[in-house]
Amino acid sequence: MPLYRATTYAEARLAADADDSAALALLDLCETLWAEVAVRGDFVEREIGELADERVAALLADADLAEYANHVRRVRAAAATQPPAELATTLARLDPTAGWERLARQLLGRITVRRRGEELSLGAALPGLYDQDRDQRGAAVAAITEALTPEVDLRASALGLLTQARLARDAVSGVTDWCTWERQNNQLGHGELAALLDAVRAHRPLVHRYYQAKADLLGHPLTDADRYAPLGSPPDAVSWAEACEVVLTAFARLGGEVAAQAHQLIAGGAVDALPRPGKRRGALTFGLPGGDAWVLVNFTGRPRDVLTLAHELGHAVHTRLAGGHGPFNAAVPTALAETVGLFTESLAGEVYAELATEPGTRTALLARQVEDQLVAAFRQVALHDFEDGLHRVVRAGEVPDHDELGELWLREQAALYGPAVTLSAGYRHWWSYLDNLFLAPGSRFAYAYGQLAASALLASHHEDPAAFRVRFENLLRAGASAPPAVLLRPLDPRRPDPDDPDGWHAGLAALHEHVAAFVRHAAPASPVLGG
């Protein structure tokens, strides 16, 4: 546990300040110690994996071991991919992955955007993509592209060599599917993941329909600088107090400890919201077994920041309520965690739109929420497909350079956005700032899982809010004590076999209705909706 806390502390400090050399040194030390722990503690999971099925069944039936039952199931599922003990020890000491990850962090941390005479972190520059003025969005895209061009060859090499090292490790373990580890971590079967990906890809024309409608409303063809162009009347800048009011109103609808914990997190100063140079872009939640949680966001007063805050508070409340479990069941898998975060984000979006008094502002908020949901479901699968293409190239014996990665990126992104969006030549480098590609490979599908599950949960909440509140709090308290599909079933009892693509029907149907509602709501609005 002390090593767990030290590692989380180092990661949080680096997220707050990429130039924190003391935190980087601490993280390096922690990773060295974790490698030693892996060597010394390998026998525990190995012996669990080697137990006879009858012995495991008896252990799982023991009430005193109920807290560890799901962990034992995860270990048993992974046992088939464990290399022999002697080889595992050698791999743990020689695996170059940690070194390449450190280089990747350094390269990503050096990306600096220069705009209007200022040096900005990438996290501070990306909100420019949501500017109401088209020229300003174009300037933001040009500045980011310029920032991504230097060292893109080094980032390509780091990504390619990281992928090569991970595939080599997989080969030694007899793993042929590059998503195996992440799929096992999320307790998804191969068929369940395939069903999810197939279902999302089959509904990709919904994204094309949305962007064509957006082009029609804006009155001009779209480029990559227009993907996130706001529609409707721009809402006034949101103060931190106003953002907290919207988010806490949303959590109040969930009642009980869910609402109480959200209030405590904000009132207790657990949210780092101020943008600054060196701070990691986007948003993160750090949690520990026992319930400690901290949130990092970059709050700039935009409506989207309100939804991001709601999302991360969902993660933090989840961590708090699951804190009664030990370390094996407190760390929630990404698919389940994102279901919760995307649900609380969607609920906050509804509250925000309800509080808007001007029709044009409601249009803007509705468009923003629909767009974010499409990104979470469809863009994340496109990122998964980009990673899949990268792994195919590396498995064939080649480490792709930045030109090859750029071509692969443009191909997958064009398939996502469809004919309504023309991608600029500079957009070919935009894969290279996505830190999850370097540091969390295979994690993208979990966001699509989370969005579709969250959309179905929101529909269940509307049907019976009182019953839903009880079930939702039970879900959060359960932590990782069962697979996501099992824990979500009481909140979405109509969902069929998770291996069936139709199992995602409710979530996809909700997204179709959201896009249709957006088109209906925005159609009568002023022809000049945004730049």
Side-chain angles (χ1 to χ4, degrees):
M1 190 64 180
L3 181 55
Y4 199 144
R5 295 185 71 89
T7 305
T8 303
Y9 173 70
E11 290 174 340
R13 279 186 52 175
L14 279 173
D17 181 2
D19 296 325
D20 190 334
S21 57
L24 182 59
L26 176 59
L27 185 59
D28 286 343
L29 174 60
C30 289
E31 289 176 343
T32 300
L33 293 174
W34 278 118
E36 188 65 25
V37 168
V39 170
R40 296 190 182 189
D42 178 66
F43 74 94
V44 177
E45 293 192 350
R46 191 173 297 280
E47 289 185 5
I48 292 174
E50 292 172 353
L51 289 172
D53 291 343
E54 296 79 7
R55 176 59 174 154
V56 172
L59 290 172
L60 294 179
D62 189 333
D64 291 336
L65 299 177
E67 171 68 17
Y68 308 102
N70 197 48
H71 177 67
V72 170
R73 293 189 189 99
R74 288 199 299 265
V75 171
R76 296 281 291 179
T81 57
Q82 293 295 323
E86 299 80 5
L87 185 54
T89 300
T90 302
L91 282 175
R93 297 189 186 282
L94 298 180
D95 187 357
T97 303
W100 286 120
E101 287 180 346
R102 178 181 180 182
L103 175 61
R105 287 192 190 95
Q106 292 172 331
L107 292 171
L108 292 166
R110 290 209 293 252
I111 298 172
T112 302
V113 181
R114 291 174 176 81
R115 190 175 176 209
R116 299 170 180 164
E118 289 185 85
E119 284 197 355
L120 303 174
S121 69
L122 194 56
L126 285 169
L129 302 181
Y130 300 86
D131 199 288
Q132 190 80 15
D133 185 270
R134 193 181 191 195
D135 290 338
Q136 293 300 325
R137 290 197 306 274
V141 166
I144 292 170
T145 297
E146 183 178 358
L148 295 177
T149 302
E151 298 191 332
V152 67
D153 55 338
L154 296 180
R155 294 194 296 277
S157 295
L159 181 59
L161 292 168
L162 261 171
T163 304
Q164 188 179 62
R166 289 168 176 145
L167 286 175
R169 185 174 58 195
D170 290 353
V172 171
S173 302
V175 172
T176 56
D177 176 6
W178 67 275
C179 263
T180 294
W181 308 110
E182 198 65 28
R183 187 171 50 73
Q184 288 179 347
N185 287 339
N186 283 284
Q187 291 191 276
L188 271 66
H190 187 277
E192 189 173 2
L193 176 56
L196 168 66
L197 297 174
D198 288 346
V200 173
R201 292 176 188 133
H203 288 261
R204 192 172 280 170
L206 178 64
V207 182
H208 303 171
R209 178 189 176 198
Y210 170 80
Y211 280 103
Q212 185 57 62
K214 185 170 188 174
D216 293 342
L217 289 166
L218 287 172
H220 59 70
L222 303 182
T223 70
D224 46 287
D226 301 313
R227 290 174 299 144
Y228 304 130
L231 296 171
S233 304
D236 294 333
V238 186
S239 70
W240 175 246
E242 290 168 335
C244 291
E245 180 184 0
V246 170
V247 171
L248 292 178
T249 299
F251 275 87
R253 295 185 177 182
L254 301 173
E257 276 299 298
V258 176
Q261 292 294 342
H263 185 273
Q264 289 175 22
L265 284 159
I266 289 180
V271 181
D272 176 353
L274 183 66
R276 55 187 176 272
K279 185 177 180 180
R280 184 169 171 178
R281 66 174 188 86
L284 291 167
T285 297
F286 298 91
L288 287 170
D292 290 332
W294 307 270
V295 170
L296 180 149
V297 295
N298 286 279
F299 186 80
T300 61
R302 296 171 184 268
R304 190 166 185 267
D305 296 340
V306 180
L307 304 183
T308 300
L309 176 61
H311 183 118
E312 296 304 321
L313 273 183
H315 291 324
V317 171
H318 201 173
T319 297
R320 285 264 185 116
L321 293 181
H325 294 284
F328 293 131
N329 286 336
V332 179
T334 309
L336 181 58
E338 289 307 315
T339 298
V340 171
L342 289 162
F343 168 74
T344 54
E345 176 182 333
S346 296
L347 189 59
E350 287 191 341
V351 170
Y352 201 178
E354 289 170 11
L355 295 175
T357 56
E358 296 295 328
T361 300
R362 285 197 294 275
T363 297
L365 294 173
L366 175 62
R368 175 80 283 124
Q369 187 173 13
V370 169
E371 204 160 276
D372 286 346
Q373 290 173 347
L374 294 178
V375 166
F378 292 92
R379 187 169 189 265
Q380 298 302 331
V381 169
L383 296 181
H384 174 92
D385 290 344
F386 172 77
E387 283 192 275
D388 187 61
L390 165 65
H391 281 80
R392 290 177 187 274
V393 171
V394 175
R395 187 179 288 112
E398 179 187 353
V399 177
D401 61 20
H402 68 280
D403 283 329
E404 293 169 289
L405 288 174
E407 288 299 319
L408 175 61
W409 173 256
L410 289 177
R411 185 164 64 249
E412 294 295 343
Q413 292 292 292
L416 166 66
Y417 291 114
V421 180
T422 299
L423 302 175
S424 65
Y427 188 63
R428 67 188 300 109
H429 296 327
W430 281 52
W431 60 269
S432 70
Y433 78 82
L434 299 172
D435 44 16
N436 281 293
L437 296 179
F438 298 84
L439 305 175
S443 61
R444 299 298 86 197
F445 70 79
Y447 293 84
Y449 183 109
Q451 182 59 67
L452 297 188
S455 295
L457 294 191
L458 193 62
S460 295
H461 175 262
H462 291 158
E463 290 174 5
D464 190 347
F468 183 90
R469 283 195 291 267
V470 175
R471 294 168 186 161
F472 187 68
E473 184 171 327
N474 290 339
L475 168 71
L476 302 192
R477 290 190 183 280
S481 59
V486 173
L487 293 175
L488 289 169
R489 192 168 295 131
L491 291 96
D492 186 16
R494 294 165 297 185
R495 184 181 173 193
D497 184 342
D499 287 358
D500 182 352
D502 287 342
W504 299 103
H505 172 76
L508 287 163
L511 292 184
H512 276 274
E513 176 53 35
H514 294 167
V515 171
F518 157 72
V519 173
R520 289 195 304 270
H521 185 79
S526 167
V528 182
L529 294 172

